[in-house]
Amino acid sequence: MSVSTKDVFALRKAGELEQAFAMAKHLLDENPNDEWNQRAAAWCLIDLIKKSAQHNTPDQTSQYLNTLNSIGLPNDEILLKSVAAVKTLGSAAAPIVEQAIVASKAKDHEKALSLYLEALRLCPDDHGIKQKIGWEQYRVASIKLKEEKPETQAVKKLLNSYLNLQLERPSLLHSSMLRIAVSIAKEDNFNLVAFLRIWGIENIQEQDFQPYHQDATGKVSPSLAEKLLLKVFKQAIQQGDANFISQTLPVLEKAITTSVDPIWLTYYKAKALLLLGYADDAFKFIVAIAGKKMSEYWIWELLGDIKQQLQDDSAMDFYGKALALKPDELYVAKLRLKLAHWFLFKSNLSAAKCELEQIKRTAENLGHNISPEALQLMQQQWFEETKASKTNVAFYSDAAGRAEAVLYRDHPTFIGVVAESFAIKDKPNKKKYRIIFKMSSSGNPYETSVGEQKLKALNLGTGDVIAIKGEMPQDGGKFMVLSIARASVTADPSLVKNFEEICSVSDAGLGFTSSSIFIDANTVKHHNIQKGNQVSGVAIKSYDKKKDKWGWKALKINSVTPS
């Protein structure tokens, strides 16, 4: 009766190890080069070695190990790992390894790690022991980081010890240790750049680029690769490590394509291009991706940095635009210092001192130290002799217009009108204003919106005629306003018009003039408009979603005359 490896594996599964191995040995003797015969014999021997080690029969264990060493093995990663693991059981370190396994199962990972290290001293070339040490180092590090006062120094030593093991990479363990390194990267004295050079950026796996999806909440968190790259690029840029940045930039670019919200990755890509000397490319890149973030001061500061490297005087306008957005003073000491340098370069000492005094006030209020560079300027003679400007706000406002003109000069200008305000959903204290404009004289109107603060800063409000620049998002949606200014022309009569007409009022309190200009219920009530009244005012184009067509809506009521 002929037998096959299927019969061997069936007996092994049934626990008949000696009979299964005898059958496997017979097959192996007949054809020693058959990979399935080799697999069958090897798996039987692995189980027999484990069984004899548990029964504390070292002679039998040694015999099985010698047999396992004598047979050829196929290139099977799982099998080879298992073979490496059981070889430990026949070594002088076997009793210590058993104690370590027990300690690890009891969650005493520090004891397990200590025992495995002791075992490794007896068997310094045992890959299986090294692998177990690596996992215990990960578990111990994870525990230390969760303590009330994280033991970061101990964790750093564990990371260093892990790298010295020189285990296979890439692997789940290797990525897990990288996660530990990323979690302590905020420590000023932990050099993540140096760690990554040894860890090997090429060992990041595909799954490391995937964002974390929390099933319970639906929340999506950044991937391991994204967290790593944000921190390591920040360090590398601070260190001016152009070689590291050049080598790692392709990985950053890949992370941008997999990130749910890649704005900060793109920020560091622009900073990296700037450091590598590609200022023009950096400028084009940040403009292309940052449209929705143009209300963030740091975008304008970065554009100013790029212009400064290009030795372009418009840099100071970009810095001024950044400050015009009224960012939190906690974050803008460096920005104010950059602008102070520009004012000095332009011999505007009063404005420069104004910026430096603001830096000083903020530092004193927050209990922070003033940077050595700012202190050096404050200690110079000109600072003592100069009277500071009361404020540079007027400069910020003018600079904002100039910076926007530079940034958006290739965008077409459209003339529109500011319509009524409305509350933002879930944010009743924040308002936006509808904007109605046309992209061509013969086309339909378009509607978009801008924040109240943006209009207030320019002293604009309902009914004002404006000049806007912007673009339609690639993924659809409303026109995105990039710049806005008061227009020097009159409103397009197809967008806004004066009216004086008889009004009717519905039972619901809605008003309609004789030419179907709509007057909302609040306006009707506020002006006490009655049926048959003569109403004069200003109307603006308005899109009726229910009827899917454009009509007119009263924007302002000038007078109401009884019939």
Side-chain angles (χ1 to χ4, degrees), residues 211-282:
Y212 300 116
H213 294 267
Q214 298 180 13
D215 295 335
T217 62
K219 183 180 178 182
V220 181
S221 300
S223 67
L224 171 60
E226 181 170 349
K227 291 178 179 178
L228 164 70
L229 292 163
L230 288 175
K231 292 182 177 181
V232 81
F233 264 79
K234 182 178 181 179
Q235 275 193 11
I237 289 166
Q238 289 172 343
Q239 296 168 10
D241 194 335
N243 184 49
F244 176 87
I245 288 171
S246 179
Q247 292 175 349
T248 315
L249 192 57
V251 184
L252 177 69
E253 290 171 337
K254 180 176 180 178
I256 289 172
T257 66
T258 59
S259 173
V260 175
D261 183 12
I263 187 64
W264 287 108
L265 290 172
T266 54
Y267 169 79
Y268 281 112
K269 178 180 175 180
K271 295 276 281 188
L273 290 171
L274 187 59
L275 188 141
L276 294 174
Y278 303 118
D280 284 325
D281 291 339

Side-chain angles (χ1 to χ4, degrees), residues 314 316-318 395 397-407:
S314 66
M316 67 186 301
D317 290 330
F318 283 92
F395 167 80
S397 179
D398 292 342
R402 292 192 295 270
E404 289 178 356
V406 170
L407 190 62

Side-chain angles (χ1 to χ4, degrees), residues 39-81:
R39 282 189 178 90
W43 281 115
C44 288
L45 284 167
I46 287 169
D47 290 347
L48 287 167
I49 291 166
K50 288 179 180 179
K51 183 178 178 181
S52 63
Q54 289 173 351
H55 293 164
N56 197 22
T57 53
D59 290 341
Q60 193 173 43
T61 301
S62 179
Q63 182 181 347
Y64 285 138
L65 280 168
N66 289 335
T67 304
L68 181 60
N69 289 329
S70 68
I71 65 176
L73 294 174
N75 187 20
D76 183 324
E77 183 180 356
I78 296 175
L79 175 61
L80 293 175
K81 283 183 178 180

Side-chain angles (χ1 to χ4, degrees), residues 52 56-57 169 184 193 224 239 288 354 390 397 454 512 539:
S52 63
N56 197 22
T57 53
R169 52 188 72 174
I184 65 168
V193 173
L224 171 60
Q239 296 168 10
C354 178
K390 288 184 178 181
S397 179
K454 191 165 190 176
F512 295 91

Side-chain angles (χ1 to χ4, degrees), residues 425-439:
K425 189 177 181 181
D426 300 326
K427 295 180 181 179
N429 295 326
K430 289 192 174 183
K431 290 183 178 180
K432 282 191 170 185
Y433 280 79
R434 283 198 313 124
I435 302 293
I436 307 298
F437 68 101
K438 294 182 77 172
M439 290 188 179

Side-chain angles (χ1 to χ4, degrees), residues 110 114 168 207 229 244 257 263 307 318 326 354 365 439 469 499 511 514 521 532 547 549 552-554:
E110 291 208 47
S114 178
E168 63 183 277
Q207 55 263 39
L229 292 163
F244 176 87
T257 66
I263 187 64
K307 286 295 184 181
F318 283 92
K326 299 180 180 179
C354 178
N365 291 338
M439 290 188 179
K469 288 175 178 278
F499 70 93
S514 54
K547 296 181 179 179
K549 68 177 184 178
W552 290 93
K553 178 181 180 180

